[in-house]
Each structure stands twice: as C-alpha cells, then as structure tokens.
Amino acid sequence: MRSPRRCSRNGCPRQAVATLTYVYNESTAVVGPLAAFAEPHTYDLCEPHARSLTAPRGWDVVRHEGEFEPPPPTTDDLVALAEAVREAARPVAPRPPAEGDQDAHHQNPSTGRRGHLRVIPPNH
C-alpha cells in the first residue's frame, strides 16, 4: 500500500485531499481534488487548508465546490515487489542441525538461503 500524501503546509500532519496549482500568467490559484501524482510546482493540502486558502492581492482563487475526498487506497506493483524482496532478504536465524540430519554434513558454506532465494557462488 502506498503511504498517504501529507499536507504541504509546514507542521501540518494531516492527509492531503486537494491540490493547489498557481497559474501565474492569469494570476489565479486553483484548488481542486487531489491530483493522481505529486507534480513539481503544485502543493498538496488537507481539507482545512484547502478551504481557508487565500491568494495574494489582485489574484483570483478558483476552488472546487464539492467535497474533498481522500484518495482510495491503491497498491503499486513496484512497491509490492520491493516489499517482497525486502521481506525475503531479512536474515533467518539458522536452525541447529537435528541429530541425524544428513543435509548439515553436506551443506556448502559458500552457499546460503534467504527465504525462497538461494545464493549460488560463481564458477571459477
């Protein structure tokens, strides 16, 4: 799961539900629903900050009239893959060989296992 985006205002810990964009050539600040992706030169805002935003003198504010809804939770395949690899890479405590365990005597110390992955030494 992707972590929720936070409000861009300093010290605000709330989840962002709106995106602020400045249109400089029209002297307009636009506050709309949260953009799908964080973009440079835009600001994510929580609902209180999105509702109370004021623009500089001479500027217009265009504000979304509906409710600001938090984005639905999504899964990102790349993030899920990274978390799976991270989980598989965690060291596993070695189990002591059981009495009569034949594999303990034949295990090559230059190979190892981590989760479902196996390290195979290069052939020389």
Side-chain angles (χ1 to χ4, degrees):
M1 295 286 251
R2 200 178 292 168
S3 63
R5 288 164 30 198
R6 298 285 173 208
C7 183
S8 297
R9 296 288 299 260
N10 285 340
C12 183
R14 291 186 283 263
Q15 181 179 2
V17 295
T19 297
L20 165 64
T21 306
Y22 289 108
V23 183
Y24 292 98
N25 62 347
E26 296 178 15
S27 299
T28 304
V30 180
V31 179
L34 187 64
F37 301 99
E39 297 285 336
H41 310 294
T42 64
Y43 304 90
D44 294 338
L45 300 173
C46 63
E47 187 161 2
H49 285 125
R51 297 264 180 231
S52 65
L53 178 91
T54 59
R57 187 177 306 176
W59 282 56
D60 294 320
V61 176
V62 176
R63 195 181 321 266
H64 174 70
E65 291 297 322
E67 293 295 317
F68 289 111
E69 298 289 330
T74 61
T75 56
D76 184 341
D77 291 343
L78 189 57
V79 172
L81 178 61
E83 288 175 3
V85 169
R86 200 174 303 124
E87 180 68 26
R90 286 196 178 126
V92 177
R95 63 175 179 89
E99 192 172 318
D101 189 356
Q102 297 298 322
D103 291 337
H105 300 291
H106 300 298
Q107 187 173 9
N108 184 345
S110 63
T111 63
R113 267 184 97 62
R114 287 191 169 179
H116 66 282
L117 303 175
R118 184 175 65 189
V119 177
I120 300 174
N123 293 332
H124 291 286

